[in-house]
Every structure is written in structure tokens, then in C-alpha cells.
Amino acid sequence: MIIVAHVLLILLGATEILQADLLPDEKISLLPPVNFTIKVTGLAQVLLQWKPNPDQEQRNVNLEYQVKINAPKEDDYETRITESKCVTILHKGFSASVRTILQNDHSLLASSWASAELHAPPGSPGTSIVNLTCTTNTTEDNYSRLRSYQVSLHCTWLVGTDAPEDTQYFLYYRYGSWTEECQEYSKDTLGRNIAC
């Protein structure tokens, strides 16, 4: 019984020491991450990377990061690692922010935000395609042992309203990590690709 009491006192003492490390009256200054970058890694894929601030005081606490996707579609999540992959549309640009956070039972401490941005790809206004529509068709394939079905993709689009006559369009599609360009285009009277 005495041994159990000593172990219990030691455990309680350790808990008090850990909690004393994070008392609310002690100021913990959190610094924003550094070297925050956004890199396009594939079709509609970006990699967000950053490094912990080298001047951040280490006090035996587990720092996390809050990632906020600002555009094209807002999202917000937390992570313990210093990189994050994201699948999203990129033709209108992409921006995100990251900050260092520390959560305890009583509150959330956070640094200021570090931000990065990818600008929309260059192009003249009015030259982008409009009304992109894609359909898939799945048929059973009795002749193949590897796949019991075949999937076909058919896409159509309209030429941009202000696109010069020599503007050309190309369609790329992705399935998982596999990316491919359309193999068969349909063309309009000016020879521009308008369907795949």
C-alpha cells in the first residue's frame, strides 16, 4: 500500500510539473513558420511546405500548424508535419496561409500567419474555354482479365468569346496519380480543338 501511495505521489508530481510548464500567466511567444512555399506538383495538385521558425523557443511542448486555404475554395485544418498536399483547381490562382499553434485545455495560442500565393496562369481575358462538360460511360468488358469494365470519357467545350482564330485548346485529365492528354480531339471549322 505504501509503494502504491509513493507511485501515486510521483505521478501527481509529474502532472503538476507538466501543467506548471504551461501556466496561463506565463507568456509563450509563438513565431510564424518560415520559408512557406506553394509548388505545383501535378495536374490540379499543389504541395505546401514550410519550416519551423528557428527562433522559436522550445519548451517541451508539441507545436502544431494551422493551414488555411484562402482561394479558390476556403478550407482550414491542423497538422503536425511541415508540408501538406492539396488537390484543387488552379486556373484562378491559389493562396494559403499557415501559422504555429499550441493548444492546451484552457486556450489556443497562435502565431501570426505566413502566407503564399500562386497567381492565375497568364492569358488574355475572354480566351478561356466556357461550358466545359464531361461525361463518362462504363461498359462491361468480357475479354479482359485485368479489368472487367472499360470507362470512356467524352468532353466538350466552347471557344472563349474573345479568343483569336489561332487559339488552341488541350485537355488533360487525371485518374488518381495518372495524368494523360486527350488522344482524340474533335475540331471546329477553324481547326480548334472543341471536344475530346
Side-chain angles (χ1 to χ4, degrees):
M1 187 71 164
I2 294 176
I3 293 174
V4 172
H6 286 303
V7 170
L8 184 58
L9 286 174
I10 290 171
L11 289 175
L12 287 172
T15 302
E16 290 301 318
I17 290 170
L18 287 174
Q19 288 179 348
D21 232 7
L22 297 174
L23 287 174
D25 56 336
E26 288 187 43
K27 297 287 184 193
I28 297 175
S29 178
L30 292 180
L31 300 174
V34 296
N35 299 332
F36 180 41
T37 59
I38 302 172
K39 180 181 178 184
V40 177
T41 58
L43 185 63
Q45 295 178 330
V46 292
L47 175 65
L48 312 176
Q49 290 182 307
W50 60 91
K51 296 199 180 303
N53 195 309
D55 297 328
Q56 179 65 56
E57 178 185 354
Q58 299 297 323
R59 299 185 63 186
N60 295 326
V61 292
N62 291 324
L63 298 178
E64 295 183 26
Y65 301 97
Q66 181 180 8
V67 178
K68 183 177 180 186
I69 308 300
N70 304 314
K73 182 180 174 187
E74 290 186 9
D75 193 11
D76 194 328
Y77 55 93
E78 295 170 5
T79 182
R80 292 181 185 261
I81 59 175
T82 58
E83 69 177 36
S84 179
K85 293 180 181 177
C86 186
V87 175
T88 185
I89 60 172
L90 297 174
H91 67 279
K92 293 183 179 179
F94 182 88
S95 70
S97 302
V98 63
R99 67 181 178 174
T100 308
I101 60 171
L102 175 63
Q103 296 185 44
N104 61 30
D105 295 337
H106 309 291
S107 63
L108 168 72
L109 298 173
S111 73
S112 58
W113 292 97
S115 298
E117 180 177 8
L118 283 177
H119 296 286
S124 300
T127 59
S128 297
I129 65 164
V130 291
N131 295 339
L132 173 66
T133 304
C134 295
T135 57
T136 58
N137 185 27
T138 306
T139 56
E140 190 172 4
D141 184 2
N142 296 324
Y143 304 106
S144 173
R145 292 183 186 189
L146 298 176
R147 283 189 282 180
S148 58
Y149 60 91
Q150 286 188 335
V151 179
S152 62
L153 173 69
H154 183 259
C155 297
T156 60
W157 57 88
L158 299 176
V159 171
T161 54
D162 295 331
E165 291 183 1
D166 62 347
T167 301
Q168 193 55 272
Y169 301 97
F170 301 94
L171 178 77
Y172 289 84
Y173 54 92
R174 186 182 70 236
Y175 181 75
S177 61
W178 178 59
T179 302
E180 187 172 318
E181 181 185 355
C182 174
Q183 300 298 307
E184 282 184 52
Y185 289 105
S186 297
K187 300 181 179 294
D188 67 5
T189 56
L190 296 174
R192 299 179 292 195
N193 298 336
I194 56 167
C196 172

